[in-house]
Amino acid sequence: MVQYTDIGDVSSAEVERMRAVYEPLAAAVRELIDATIRTEVDADTVGEVTAEIGAATARLRSQQCDGPFGVRSTTGGDRMAWGNPVIGIRNPIAPPLNIQRDDDGGVFTDFHLGAAYEGPPGHVHGGVSALVLDHVLGEVAANEETPRFTGTITLRYLRPTRLGELHAEARITRTDGFKAYAAGHLADEDGITVEAEGIFIQPKWARG
């Protein structure tokens, strides 16, 4: 069974305060990842920076939770999936995506992928495209009242996706009992690059 952690009566203001503390840290490390990939400084500088990073890591590890961050929720309804590799504001490998809903019930997001997500030269790794689309389709297929998880997902790669500014969107095409069928796509500045269809299933423990 998937575990969600209720952290109790924490106000939305406190959640926003924590966000203001940790979001810049993840953003700084995200920049560090990009700089690590692209740097051409000399070996001595690399060695100095490596030591500095090691010291900073030790400071952060001086007090940390056991295991992954998980999904934490408050009594007031704030949901904190901050360790998620797609949307997690505390996860430097997440772009992160900011998922929005349109008036027709679909979801969409505009985001940027840089050097850390490269597969073919100058283009997004196909597995990263799959990660993004799995999450976006899952967002439209599920909600807090009706959790659903990926049963199957099918991708059709139309052409390579350029690194840079990207757009993804998804919608539910139909529901059938405990299943929701969703479709969506990923696009770069020249149009759609990957199409996706998926079946998302409500787990037995959430069926009431």
Side-chain angles (χ1 to χ4, degrees):
M1 180 174 174
V2 176
Q3 296 293 323
Y4 296 90
T5 302
D6 185 348
I7 61 175
D9 190 18
V10 177
S11 69
S12 293
E14 177 62 12
V15 171
E16 287 306 306
R17 187 198 68 79
M18 290 188 288
R19 175 187 287 269
V21 169
Y22 292 110
E23 194 169 24
L25 172 62
V29 178
R30 198 171 291 120
E31 285 294 312
L32 177 62
I33 291 170
D34 186 82
T36 299
I37 294 169
R38 298 166 59 195
T39 189
E40 295 182 344
V41 299
D42 60 73
D44 288 343
T45 302
V46 170
E48 293 168 1
V49 171
T50 300
E52 292 168 2
I53 293 171
T57 300
R59 291 178 65 188
L60 291 173
R61 287 200 184 282
S62 65
Q63 186 175 345
Q64 63 180 19
C65 62
D66 294 329
F69 188 86
V71 178
R72 306 179 186 185
S73 59
T74 70
T75 302
D78 290 295
R79 188 169 179 269
M80 302 157 62
W82 288 0
N84 186 282
V86 182
I87 61 170
I89 65 163
R90 288 184 64 166
N91 191 337
I93 70 171
L97 271 59
N98 177 25
I99 306 292
Q100 302 181 64
R101 294 191 176 270
D102 61 31
D103 295 336
D104 297 322
V107 301
F108 67 94
T109 180
D110 295 292
F111 58 102
H112 180 91
L113 293 182
Y117 307 96
E118 185 178 45
H123 294 83
V124 178
H125 191 290
V128 173
S129 299
L131 176 72
V132 167
L133 285 168
D134 177 64
H135 189 94
V136 173
L137 267 66
E139 284 278 355
V140 79
N143 53 55
E144 292 185 19
E145 291 74 29
T146 310
R148 295 188 179 100
F149 300 106
T150 310
T152 62
I153 188 166
T154 303
L155 302 172
R156 182 167 177 250
Y157 293 83
L158 306 180
R159 60 178 176 81
T161 304
R162 288 201 187 104
L163 292 172
E165 300 303 317
L166 302 175
H167 173 87
E169 61 182 70
R171 66 189 183 281
I172 291 179
T173 56
R174 67 186 177 96
T175 57
D176 182 8
F178 299 117
K179 298 179 181 179
Y181 295 76
H185 65 254
L186 176 67
D188 61 17
E189 293 180 345
D190 293 327
I192 296 174
T193 59
V194 188
E195 296 175 334
E197 294 182 342
I199 303 173
F200 295 81
I201 303 171
Q202 187 177 12
K204 291 181 179 179
W205 56 262
R207 296 179 186 178

